[in-house]
C-alpha cells in the first residue's frame, strides 16, 4: 500500500462528525442524542428564567422533532471567523464545532450545553434541520441538512422571542432513526419534576408530563416506603441542589443523579457525596442517642438499606466523564 501526502485528509467539522459520530454522541447508532442536544439547549433558557415553558412536538409519520423555547432567542448578527469570513451566528453554530455562548458564565449561571457541539452534531447527523430565532419582532431562519451549505432567511414577525428547532434524523447514520416517545416523555417529566414546565405534543395530542421529584423513584417492586421532605440549598453563586430521600422495604439502595437537568445514569460526585453524607449523619445521630444503638455493630452500608435518593445539582462548571455526560466528575 502507498502512503504519501495524498493519503492525508483534512475534514471539516461536519464531515468529521459524520465519519466518527461515536466520538460525539457515544452510542453511534442512537439518534436520541440529537434530541437531547436540542432539548438541553432549550432547557437552559427555561432554567435560567428566560422562558416560562418549553414545548416539544413530535410528528411520528415524518419522524420530525421540534423543540421550542420562549427565551431570548439565538443572537442575530454576523460573527467573524478566524479566516476572516463573516457568517450569521446561527450558521456558525450549525457548521462550526466548539462554537457557543456557554464557555463562561456571562450568559448563563449554569447550563447543560457546555462544549459548543450540539447544533453542529444535530446538523451533521440530520437530513433536515431548521432553526428559527425570534428576537424583538425579527426572525432569522436557517435551513440545512448534513452540510455546511446553510440557507439563511431574514424577516419581521411579531412573535414571542425564542428559538424553534426542528430536525429529522438521517437514517444514513442511524439504522433505527426513530426516537422512542418514552425517552422523550422521560426527559420532559424529569424537567417537570424539578420545577420546570415542559409540554409534549405527539401527533397533535398532548401527553401528561406532570411529575414530582418523588415520582422519579417509582418502582413496582416496592410495597412500603417513607418519604423524607425535599431538601433544597443554594450557595452565594446561585448554584443549587435539590435532594429527595425515600426509605423503602427493599434491601438495596438506589440513586438518581441529575446535573443541570441532565440525567447522570452512571452517577458521579454528587451521588457519592450524598451517600457519604447520609452515612455520616446516621452515625452522628446514633452516637448522640446511645439508647438507640443496636446490639450489633452497624457497617456503613447498613445505613443505606432500602434507600432511594434523588440528587439534582445546578452548577456553573460541571465536568463530565464524556460528551454524553452520564457521570459527573467534579472534585
Amino acid at each position: 500500500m502507498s502512503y504519501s501526502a495524498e493519503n492525508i485528509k483534512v475534514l471539516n467539522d461536519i464531515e468529521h462528525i459524520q465519519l466518527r459520530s461515536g466520538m460525539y454522541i457515544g452510542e453511534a447508532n442512537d439518534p436520541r442524542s440529537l434530541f437531547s442536544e436540542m432539548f438541553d439547549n432549550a432547557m437552559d433558557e427555561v432554567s435560567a428564567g428566560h422562558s416560562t415553558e418549553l414545548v416539544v412536538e413530535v410528528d411520528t409519520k415524518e419522524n420530525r422533532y421540534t423543540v421550542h423555547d420562549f427565551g431570548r432567542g439565538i443572537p442575530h448578527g454576523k460573527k467573524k471567523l478566524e479566516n476572516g469570513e463573516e457568517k450569521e451566528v446561527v450558521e456558525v453554530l450549525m457548521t462550526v464545532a466548539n462554537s457557543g455562548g456557554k464557555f463562561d458564565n456571562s450568559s448563563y449561571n449554569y447550563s447543560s450545553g457546555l462544549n459548543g457541539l450540539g447544533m453542529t452534531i444535530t446538523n451533521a447527523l440530520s437530513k433536515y434541520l431548521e432553526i428559527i430565532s425570534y428576537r424583538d419582532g425579527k426572525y432569522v431562519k436557517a435551513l440545512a441538512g448534513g452540510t455546511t451549505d446553510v440557507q439563511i432567511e431574514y424577516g419581521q414577525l411579531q412573535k414571542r422571542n425564542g428559538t424553534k428547532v426542528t430536525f429529522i434524523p438521517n437514517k444514513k447514520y442511524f439504522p433505527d432513526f426513530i426516537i422512542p416517545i418514552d425517552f422523550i416523555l422521560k426527559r420532559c417529566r424529569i424537567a417537570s419534576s424539578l420545577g420546570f414546565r415542559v409540554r409534549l405534543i405527539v401527533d397533535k395530542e398532548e401527553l401528561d408530563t406532570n411529575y414530582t421529584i418523588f415520582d422519579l423513584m417509582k418502582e413496582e417492586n416496592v410495597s412500603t416506603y417513607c418519604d423524607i421532605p425535599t431538601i433544597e440549598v443554594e450557595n452565594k453563586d446561585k448554584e443549587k441542589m435539590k435532594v429527595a430521600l425515600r426509605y423503602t422495604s427493599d434491601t438495596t439502595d438506589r440513586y438518581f443523579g441529575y446535573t443541570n437537568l441532565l440525567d447522570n445514569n452512571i452517577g458521579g460526585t454528587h451521588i457519592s457525596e450524598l451517600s457519604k453524607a447520609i452515612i455520616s449523619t446516621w452515625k452522628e445521630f446514633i452516637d448522640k442517642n446511645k439508647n438507640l444503638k443496636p446490639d450489633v455493630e452497624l457497617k456503613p452500608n447498613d445505613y443505606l438499606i432500602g434507600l432511594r435518593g434523588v440528587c439534582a445539582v445546578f452548577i456553573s462548571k460541571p465536568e463530565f466523564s464524556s460528551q454524553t455526560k452520564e457521570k459527573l466528575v467534579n472534585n
Side-chain angles (χ1 to χ4, degrees):
M1 283 189 176
S2 63
Y3 183 55
S4 66
E6 296 301 319
N7 298 110
I8 304 302
K9 295 182 179 180
V10 179
L11 305 178
N12 64 38
D13 292 335
I14 295 293
E15 292 169 335
H16 192 268
I17 293 168
Q18 291 169 341
L19 187 65
R20 297 286 186 263
S21 60
M23 287 179 57
Y24 297 90
I25 63 173
E27 179 56 60
N29 295 327
D30 196 339
R32 290 181 294 182
S33 293
L34 304 188
F35 175 80
S36 290
E37 294 286 0
M38 297 302 95
F39 184 85
D40 294 341
N41 282 343
M43 279 307 309
D44 286 340
E45 285 292 294
V46 178
S47 61
H50 301 297
S51 178
T52 56
E53 67 175 0
L54 176 65
V55 178
V56 177
E57 295 184 68
V58 180
D59 181 336
T60 60
K61 292 180 181 178
E62 297 288 334
N63 199 35
R64 184 188 303 262
Y65 306 88
T66 298
V67 180
H68 192 178
D69 72 71
F70 303 93
R72 295 166 291 182
I74 295 171
H76 297 177
K78 301 287 186 177
K79 181 71 176 178
K80 192 171 184 178
L81 303 179
E82 286 187 359
N83 62 5
E85 188 178 5
E86 290 188 349
K87 291 185 177 182
E88 185 64 40
V89 168
V90 67
E91 181 178 358
V92 174
L93 296 174
M94 293 168 75
T95 59
V96 181
N98 308 314
S99 59
K102 301 171 185 176
F103 294 113
D104 57 31
N105 299 112
S106 60
S107 301
Y108 297 87
N109 283 337
Y110 44 79
S111 63
S112 303
L114 299 168
N115 301 325
L117 293 169
M119 287 188 178
T120 316
I121 291 171
T122 304
N123 177 24
L125 303 178
S126 296
K127 75 171 187 178
Y128 176 88
L129 174 63
E130 176 188 87
I131 300 177
I132 309 176
S133 170
Y134 302 98
R135 284 173 71 104
D136 304 323
K138 299 179 181 180
Y139 73 85
V140 175
K141 179 192 290 187
L143 281 173
T147 71
T148 56
D149 182 18
V150 180
Q151 301 175 44
I152 301 292
E153 176 185 318
Y154 302 93
Q156 294 187 339
L157 187 65
Q158 290 300 324
K159 205 164 186 177
R160 291 169 66 185
N161 285 358
T163 302
K164 185 177 182 180
V165 179
T166 301
F167 70 94
I168 300 174
N170 193 334
K171 58 183 177 182
K172 177 180 178 181
Y173 306 109
F174 303 108
D176 184 0
F177 60 99
I178 296 173
I179 303 173
I181 299 300
D182 285 348
F183 169 78
I184 296 174
L185 181 59
K186 180 182 178 181
R187 290 300 316 266
C188 294
R189 284 178 166 173
I190 288 172
S192 175
S193 71
L194 298 176
F196 305 100
R197 176 168 169 72
V198 180
R199 296 173 60 203
L200 173 58
I201 301 168
V202 178
D203 295 332
K204 299 184 179 180
E205 180 181 347
E206 186 158 358
L207 305 188
D208 181 14
T209 58
N210 292 320
Y211 240 43
T212 71
I213 195 168
F214 287 100
D215 287 327
L216 297 174
M217 297 185 276
K218 279 184 177 178
E219 294 177 84
E220 294 180 359
N221 63 334
V222 173
S223 57
T224 58
Y225 58 84
C226 175
D227 290 339
I228 296 173
T230 305
I231 303 160
E232 296 189 32
V233 293
E234 182 177 308
N235 66 14
K236 59 181 178 60
D237 297 320
K238 303 297 183 181
E239 295 177 315
K240 302 176 183 178
M241 176 186 286
K242 293 184 180 181
V243 174
L245 300 176
R246 166 181 288 171
Y247 274 97
T248 74
S249 56
D250 194 19
T251 57
T252 61
D253 54 324
R254 189 179 177 199
Y255 306 92
F256 307 85
Y258 305 93
T259 303
N260 300 349
L261 295 175
L262 295 170
D263 185 356
N264 311 130
N265 54 42
I266 303 180
T269 309
H270 49 344
I271 295 302
S272 60
E273 290 301 319
L274 173 63
S275 179
K276 291 176 186 177
I278 292 169
I279 293 171
S280 175
T281 301
W282 271 118
K283 283 183 175 180
E284 183 179 339
F285 177 78
I286 290 177
D287 286 342
K288 288 182 179 179
N289 297 271
K290 302 293 186 181
N291 59 313
L292 297 177
K293 192 169 184 177
D295 295 332
V296 297
E297 187 67 30
L298 291 175
K299 298 179 180 179
N301 285 342
D302 292 333
Y303 298 108
L304 306 176
I305 290 176
L307 181 66
R308 300 292 181 269
V310 174
C311 184
V313 295
F314 300 85
I315 55 179
S316 60
K317 295 179 180 180
E319 297 176 15
F320 300 100
S321 59
S322 67
Q323 166 64 16
T324 53
K325 304 166 186 173
E326 296 172 307
K327 182 179 181 180
L328 184 69
V329 296
N330 287 60
N331 290 327

